[in-house]
Amino acid sequence: MFSQEFECQLPLVVAELMPFAIKLTRNRDAAQDLCQETLCRALMNKDKFAPGTSMEAWLLVIMRNIFLNNYRRKQLHDKFESYSKHEVAHAADRNLHNNSTEMALTLKELQEGMDGLPGKFKITFQLYSQGYKYQEIADMMKEPMGTIKSRIHMAKRMLRNNVPAWAEAHA
């Protein structure tokens, strides 16, 4: 019964999403994409909607969260993209130092380590390092969130365990 009510209410509030999406994105095409993603998330999570509450408010919160997560992800991506190869190489030379208790990884070493990770560990860790949340990665890979957390933990461990090998190669 609740599912039918949900699906009957949804079309009534869809028209209210576009103006808010345009306000957030300031681009009609991006706003349409944001609306579509919001509706997909709402349908995937309709069991989390509390009957008797405002569906419009619930959808707008979902939209805002999607927009903010995408914005943060883009900012992080742009920040790392702005490094030129020269800056990365210079940072690698400058940052490589050995301490008896810890070692600072350079961007180059981290990339080498990530390239050496086994298949699913590599993909999972790359998504994690790009700013995706555990649940988003689990949804993309169609795996349980516990599996994703475990893979990320194991990938970190593999990277830590390979640090001495990288340091010797660059000494």
Side-chain angles (χ1 to χ4, degrees):
M1 178 74 111
F2 171 67
S3 182
Q4 290 174 342
E5 290 176 31
F6 180 88
E7 291 175 12
C8 289
Q9 272 189 309
L10 191 60
L12 302 174
V13 296
V14 168
E16 304 301 320
L17 297 178
M18 192 62 171
F20 186 62
I22 290 173
K23 186 175 181 180
L24 289 173
T25 63
R26 299 175 191 210
N27 178 308
R28 189 160 195 76
D29 292 335
Q32 288 174 338
D33 290 343
L34 184 58
C35 285
Q36 184 175 3
E37 190 171 349
T38 300
L39 292 173
C40 286
R41 288 260 177 98
L43 289 171
M44 286 178 12
N45 295 295
K46 66 182 175 184
D47 57 314
K48 295 177 184 170
F49 177 72
T53 60
S54 170
M55 181 173 286
E56 181 182 349
W58 185 66
L59 291 170
L60 293 177
V61 168
I62 292 172
M63 179 179 285
R64 185 201 66 200
N65 290 342
I66 291 170
F67 175 77
L68 290 174
N69 287 338
N70 290 343
Y71 179 79
R72 288 182 192 120
R73 201 172 291 125
K74 184 180 180 332
Q75 292 297 317
L76 184 63
H77 182 266
D78 290 349
K79 180 179 178 181
F80 288 110
E81 285 287 315
S82 69
Y83 287 109
S84 69
K85 289 184 180 188
H86 173 73
E87 289 170 322
V88 171
H90 183 61
D93 293 339
R94 186 178 64 238
N95 289 335
L96 186 60
H97 60 82
N98 194 351
N99 187 332
S100 61
T101 58
E102 66 184 12
M103 172 144 333
L105 290 177
T106 63
L107 294 174
K108 181 179 175 185
E109 290 170 336
L110 181 59
Q111 187 60 50
E112 287 173 5
M114 285 174 54
D115 290 342
L117 290 172
K120 288 187 178 181
F121 291 96
K122 178 180 179 180
I123 294 167
T124 305
F125 190 75
Q126 283 176 334
L127 291 169
Y128 174 76
S129 67
Q130 291 172 1
Y132 287 95
K133 296 183 188 296
Y134 292 127
Q135 188 60 54
E136 292 173 321
I137 298 169
D139 292 343
M140 282 187 260
M141 297 186 74
K142 295 180 176 52
E143 298 275 357
M145 188 164 55
T147 301
I148 298 304
K149 287 181 175 182
S150 177
R151 283 186 190 152
I152 291 169
H153 174 77
M154 292 299 294
K156 287 178 181 179
R157 183 180 291 177
M158 285 183 238
L159 289 172
R160 272 194 303 269
N161 289 341
N162 287 332
V163 169
W166 297 337
E168 290 173 14
H170 294 285

